[in-house]
Amino acid sequence: MEKCLLLGNGAREAVIAEAMSQKYELYSIMPYENPSIVAFVKNSKGKFLIGSPFDKELVKRFIQENDIKYCIISSDNLLQEGLIDLAKELGLKTFGPTSKAAKIEWSKTYALEVVKELEPKMIIQNFEVNSEAALEEVAKVYSDENFVVKPEGLTGGKGVKVGGIHFATKEEGIAYAKECLKQSGKVILQDKVKGKEFTVMCLTDGKTVITLPTTFDYPYRYNEDKGPGTGGMGCIGFANGLLPFLTEQDIETCRNLMEKTIHFLNQESLEFTGILYGGFFKTEEGIKFIEFNARFGDPEAMNVINSFETPFADVAEDVFNRKFIGKKLPI
C-alpha cells in the first residue's frame, strides 16, 4: 500500500481517514489523539504522531523518515498556513489547494472580489470596511439591525452574525463589527436577504470540475437558529443529489461560478485541487453567493463521501495523479 499523510483531526478528517485507509497506509500528525483517526491509522498499518501539524520542520521530518508519497488536507487553517505547499515542495502528490488558492476561503474580501469579477449578478450588496471612520459611514446605510456582519478571516464557521438572530439591535451589530475590525483590520457588512441557504461542493483535479450532491447545513446550536454558530450541527441531502427547493438550473448556476473560480485560481499555475465548497442563497432575485471554503464542509463530508459510487480513495487517487482530466468520473 502507498503511504498517505492526512493532516487535520476534526470530524471530517475522521470520515476521510476511514475512506482513505481502505487503499492507503495512513499517516497523521495530531495535537491530541482523535480516537477514530487513530483506529484507522492503526488498521491501515500506518503511523501517527502527537505534535503540532503547523510545525513545518516536524511535518517535513515525519514525511522524510516515513517515505510518504501522498498528502491530503481538508483543514482550513492548515491550508492557509501552506502545508500543501510544503508537501508539494517535498515532491508529494497532493489533494488540496495551496495557501495562495485557499485565500478564496481565508479572505472573504478576496472571495467577493473574485465573484464580482466572474458573476457580479450573484453578489449581495456588501461593504468592505477597513477603518472605524468607514464603519461609521456604512452604518448610516442601515436603519435597523437587518444586516449581516462577516469577519474577514477564518473563524471555524462561528464568526458570521445575522441581525435579528445573533444581535437584536443595530448598535449591537456595529459593536460586533468593531470587534472584528480590531482583530484583522477588515470587516464586511452585507445586506440581509430572504432566501434558502444551501451548499454545493465541487471536486477538481485542477481542470475537470465535478459537482457533488447538494446539502443543507444546520450551523447554529439551538432551535430556530437562535444559538451561536458552530462548525456544523448536521446536514441533510437527498438521493437525487438535489434539495426540494432547487432545480437543475440552480445547481448549474452554482457550478458555472465554481468552475470559473477554479480556472481563475489555476490560470497561472496549478494551485487548486480537491474540494471547492460554495455557500449560496436561493432568493426571488435568483441564486446569490455567500462564501467559498477551500475544503470539505464539516459535517457535509460525511454525507457526500458516503454517497459516492466510486470509493473515495479511488477518487482521491485520480486527484493525486491529475488523471480524470477530460473524462466523466462516476460519483
Side-chain angles (χ1 to χ4, degrees), residues 6-300:
L6 170 65
L7 294 181
N9 65 326
R12 65 175 161 259
E13 283 79 21
V15 177
I16 293 169
E18 180 180 20
M20 294 298 290
S21 66
Q22 305 303 309
K23 189 165 187 173
Y24 290 87
E25 195 173 298
L26 207 56
Y27 289 73
S28 179
I29 299 175
M30 297 175 278
Y32 53 86
E33 289 192 22
N34 178 314
S36 297
I37 296 175
V38 168
F40 295 126
V41 167
K42 289 181 176 179
N43 289 343
S44 73
K45 310 302 181 185
K47 179 180 177 181
F48 72 93
L49 179 68
I50 300 302
S52 172
F54 293 95
D55 184 338
K56 293 184 179 179
E57 285 303 314
L58 176 65
V59 174
K60 182 177 179 179
R61 288 197 305 272
F62 190 68
I63 288 171
Q64 293 174 333
E65 289 172 1
N66 292 286
D67 194 27
I68 297 170
K69 301 300 184 185
Y70 299 87
C71 178
I72 182 168
I73 301 177
S74 193
S75 167
D76 47 9
N77 298 98
L78 292 170
L79 293 172
Q80 179 180 7
E81 292 301 315
L83 273 301
I84 282 288
D85 305 60
L86 174 64
K88 291 179 73 171
E89 289 167 10
L90 294 173
L92 276 66
K93 295 182 177 182
T94 59
F95 182 115
T98 64
S99 180
K100 178 181 178 181
K103 186 177 180 180
I104 203 73
E105 174 173 7
W106 56 260
S107 172
K108 290 185 178 67
T109 54
Y110 174 66
L112 286 169
E113 289 166 6
V114 171
V115 177
K116 283 177 185 176
E117 180 175 334
L118 298 177
E119 290 291 348
K121 65 181 181 296
M122 296 181 72
I123 291 288
I124 300 169
Q125 178 174 265
N126 64 86
F127 303 90
E128 299 174 12
V129 177
N130 56 19
S131 70
E132 287 203 13
L135 179 59
E136 289 176 5
E137 288 301 310
V138 171
K140 296 175 183 177
V141 174
Y142 298 102
S143 60
D144 54 26
E145 76 282 359
N146 285 309
F147 59 93
V148 178
V149 179
K150 294 186 172 185
E152 158 70 353
L154 299 175
T155 58
K158 305 173 183 67
V160 176
K161 293 194 176 183
V162 180
I165 299 176
H166 305 111
F167 53 87
T169 67
K170 173 182 173 178
E171 290 70 26
E172 287 179 19
I174 297 302
Y176 177 61
K178 285 182 180 179
E179 291 177 20
C180 297
L181 189 60
K182 289 177 182 177
Q183 290 176 2
S184 67
K186 291 182 182 179
V187 66
I188 298 167
L189 269 67
Q190 189 173 75
D191 288 1
K192 181 179 175 181
V193 299
K194 291 183 179 180
K196 293 185 177 180
E197 188 173 348
F198 63 98
T199 299
V200 177
M201 290 187 285
C202 287
L203 173 74
T204 184
D205 61 357
K207 289 193 175 181
T208 301
V209 178
I210 297 169
T211 308
L212 303 180
T214 309
T215 57
F216 183 91
D217 182 29
Y218 293 90
Y220 300 112
R221 188 168 298 169
Y222 304 132
N223 289 340
E224 300 179 4
D225 291 344
K226 298 293 185 182
T230 71
M233 296 298 291
C235 70
I236 59 172
F238 289 78
N240 64 357
L242 286 174
L243 295 170
F245 57 86
L246 295 175
T247 66
E248 292 284 357
Q249 184 55 53
D250 293 332
I251 302 304
E252 188 62 23
T253 298
C254 300
R255 175 198 161 78
N256 286 340
L257 170 63
M258 298 173 79
E259 188 168 36
K260 287 179 181 179
T261 301
I262 289 167
H263 292 163
F264 175 86
L265 296 173
N266 288 335
Q267 60 186 326
E268 295 178 0
S269 61
L270 183 61
E271 302 287 344
F272 199 106
T273 66
I275 298 293
L276 180 63
Y277 169 121
F280 300 94
F281 268 121
K282 181 167 184 175
T283 74
E284 291 183 357
E285 290 75 38
I287 302 298
K288 299 297 180 181
F289 168 75
I290 302 174
E291 66 178 358
F292 281 136
N293 292 334
R295 38 74 188 179
F296 274 116
D298 190 356
E300 292 91 343

